[in-house]
Amino acid sequence: MKNMSLEKIAQACGGVYHGSEEMKQSIVESITTDSRQAAKGCLFVAIPGERVDGHDFIPSVFEKGALAVLSEKELENPAGPYIQVASSLEAVKGIAEYYRQQLDIKVVGITGSVGKTSTKEVIASVLAQKYNVLKTLGNFNNELGLPLTVFRLRDEHQIAVLEMGISHFGEMHRLAKVARPDICVITNIGQCHLEFLKDRDGILRAKTEIFDFLKEDGCIILNGDDDKLDTIEEVKGIKPIFFGVEGQKPVYADEIESLGLSGIACTIHADGESIRVTVPIPGWHMVLNALAATAVGRALGLTMQEIKAGIEALEPVGGRFHIINHGDIQIIDDCYNANPVSMKASLDVLRDAKGRKVAILGDMGELGENEEQMHAEVGYHAAKNKIDLLICTGKISSHMAEAAMANGGCGEVLQVPTMEALLTCLPSLIQSGDTVLVKASHFMHFEKVVEKLQEI
Ligand code: ATP
Ligand code: MG
């Protein structure tokens, strides 16, 4: 890792180096917090976790050839050098910030309430047509995940596409300090994390902390269909580039055509050029995500042909509208997370599916005091879309079921209070030819439902 000697690392995190003078200039080859991934030449960062304490693995990582260790504790007779810090989590951010600034790469930072991972995937797929790209793996988007992603950067990378997720004020400021994005993308200002951020204006304020470290020649790319983002006129003299499907934004799409579960086609327009594109993942929101990727692609010099190729090469991520064909039932595995916006979007795709339309929906978390109303709205939406069988599981989902029943649009509505009961009755509820949407907030662990469906 470029310029990452133990001495520099200790300086970057304000830690105290314990070890021999000659080892001080040794360069670390990688940085990890996972003792199982500790390899020759690495710096192992010991983090006191809830279940396991990383400090317990210090002897074993030295056996695996670790160059050094970062520890919150004083170590007696360690098998190699170590850097002592007050907080490993704080230290990791300081080190990542220093490392990022050693690298001559462009960083694309993506935030927003919904669709960060999905948008990150399209942006990375597009940019990979021209550049060597490193992207956040999975959902490593927080104050630990982001630094760990930065540590995976190497000289050969030209662009980093980084997901940045928050739930409190000040958090995005700290993430931006690490990432120093050259291009900032915000997908939308929704209704997640209302517990801490109060209302959508609070969310807007918290998310826009991403601009705090933006350079003068930076670029801001925003969803112009979002009424809150649309109010941003200028930041540090930089005018945002808006994308959207409502009205003619600088980057926009029209002639949108659903291809059922195979995806969604649209014509994308940017800089006076137009191109017909098939986004291989269904849902209207995927058009918006493709537009965000188009705007980023244009900002980084890609042609419309390259952008089209990147969008069409997109691969689904597990748990996010991942279509699984199991025998003659189709499972829409969208279990990774949920909120009112994405629930409604997924129900809209289900509406156009073949066969009997079944939605297994669970509780949505972190919605604040209006959570019952928001669950009811999803229930109304399911009824409006005439879902044949709606199964609601969880505590607050009863409001979803009640609203759907009151509306009368669904063929049948079932309220199953617990996961255990759901898994037991599932085989008797599903018929051949069904298309089954599975969606809830992450804490509901609806991946168990997807697993069970694949055993039927
Ligand atoms: P997290 O906060 O958990 O990291 P995220 O912002 O990364 O979430 P995704 O995982 O990309 O969001 O998507 C969550 C859900 O929202 C998925 O079900 C997906 O189908 C839907 N979705 C994706 N993009 C959008 C969008 N632009 N607008 C609305 N819904 C979207
Ligand atoms: Mg995510």
Side-chain angles (χ1 to χ4, degrees), residues 2-212:
K2 200 174 181 178
N3 291 338
M4 295 292 267
S5 67
L6 293 177
E7 183 176 34
K8 289 270 170 53
I9 291 174
Q11 276 168 6
C13 64
V16 180
Y17 173 80
H18 299 266
S20 66
E21 271 308 304
E22 66 261 39
M23 285 291 281
K24 232 179 175 177
Q25 300 312 323
S26 308
I27 304 280
V28 307
E29 287 173 29
S30 60
I31 302 180
T32 183
T33 55
D34 184 343
S35 61
R36 290 162 301 185
Q37 286 175 13
K40 198 171 158 291
C42 81
L43 172 73
F44 171 69
V45 178
I47 293 187
E50 276 168 28
R51 277 167 296 154
V52 282
D53 184 350
H55 292 87
D56 297 343
F57 300 97
I58 290 176
S60 74
V61 299
F62 275 126
E63 275 169 27
K64 286 184 183 168
L67 178 75
V69 158
L70 192 127
S71 165
E72 290 183 4
K73 297 178 185 165
E74 203 174 313
L75 303 180
E76 273 181 39
N77 299 322
Y82 76 101
I83 296 166
Q84 195 178 354
V85 292
S87 157
S88 299
L89 278 174
E90 289 305 313
V92 155
K93 278 181 276 181
I95 300 166
E97 183 187 347
Y98 168 75
Y99 183 51
R100 189 271 178 258
Q101 292 185 67
Q102 307 306 304
L103 300 168
D104 183 21
I105 50 156
K106 289 247 182 276
V107 170
V108 182
I110 302 152
T111 193
S113 296
V114 192
K116 295 179 289 298
T117 299
S118 311
T119 304
K120 172 209 54 174
E121 291 296 326
V122 200
I123 292 175
S125 185
V126 163
L127 296 180
Q129 298 296 314
K130 189 176 162 107
Y131 300 106
N132 189 341
V133 176
L134 178 117
K135 65 179 179 189
T136 301
L137 285 180
N139 210 32
F140 271 54
N141 66 12
N142 62 15
E143 290 188 66
L144 179 58
L146 179 75
L148 291 176
T149 306
V150 168
F151 294 148
R152 289 174 39 237
L153 282 163
R154 293 294 176 269
D155 265 351
E156 66 265 25
H157 292 122
Q158 295 167 295
I159 295 191
V161 180
L162 304 179
E163 175 172 343
M164 298 160 75
I166 57 145
S167 46
H168 293 85
F169 289 111
E171 221 173 328
M172 184 59 78
H173 176 87
R174 296 191 289 274
L175 292 180
K177 193 160 180 272
V178 171
R180 309 272 164 143
D182 298 278
I183 298 183
C184 296
V185 180
I186 308 185
T187 60
N188 46 47
I189 300 300
Q191 289 159 325
C192 311
H193 306 299
L194 288 178
E195 277 169 337
F196 307 113
L197 303 176
K198 289 219 161 56
D199 52 21
R200 288 182 69 226
D201 289 313
I203 297 174
L204 180 69
R205 259 193 301 131
K207 301 275 181 199
T208 49
E209 289 174 10
I210 193 173
F211 305 139
D212 289 358

Side-chain angles (χ1 to χ4, degrees), residues 208 211 214 216 218-222 228-242:
T208 49
F211 305 139
L214 191 60
E216 277 166 22
C219 177
I220 298 173
I221 293 172
L222 302 175
K228 294 290 174 194
L229 292 175
D230 192 39
T231 61
I232 300 176
E233 289 175 1
E234 199 178 282
V235 182
K236 300 179 182 173
I238 303 167
K239 288 202 187 335
I241 299 166
F242 288 103

Side-chain angles (χ1 to χ4, degrees), residues 111-120 138-139 141 163 165-166 187-188 192-193 207 223 281-282 284-286 288-289 319-321 334-339 341-343 345-346 439 442:
T111 193
S113 296
V114 192
K116 295 179 289 298
T117 299
S118 311
T119 304
K120 172 209 54 174
N139 210 32
N141 66 12
E163 175 172 343
I166 57 145
T187 60
N188 46 47
C192 311
H193 306 299
K207 301 275 181 199
N223 175 358
I281 299 176
W284 272 74
H285 56 270
M286 285 309 299
L288 285 172
N289 301 348
R320 291 173 191 80
F321 226 96
D334 206 9
C335 70
Y336 175 72
N337 72 9
N339 56 60
V341 176
S342 71
M343 279 283 201
S346 297
K439 193 167 177 68
H442 199 52

Side-chain angles (χ1 to χ4, degrees), residues 375-380 383 398-408:
H375 281 76
E377 278 170 22
V378 171
Y380 279 126
S398 54
H399 296 275
M400 222 187 264
E402 280 159 21
M405 280 184 229
N407 186 290

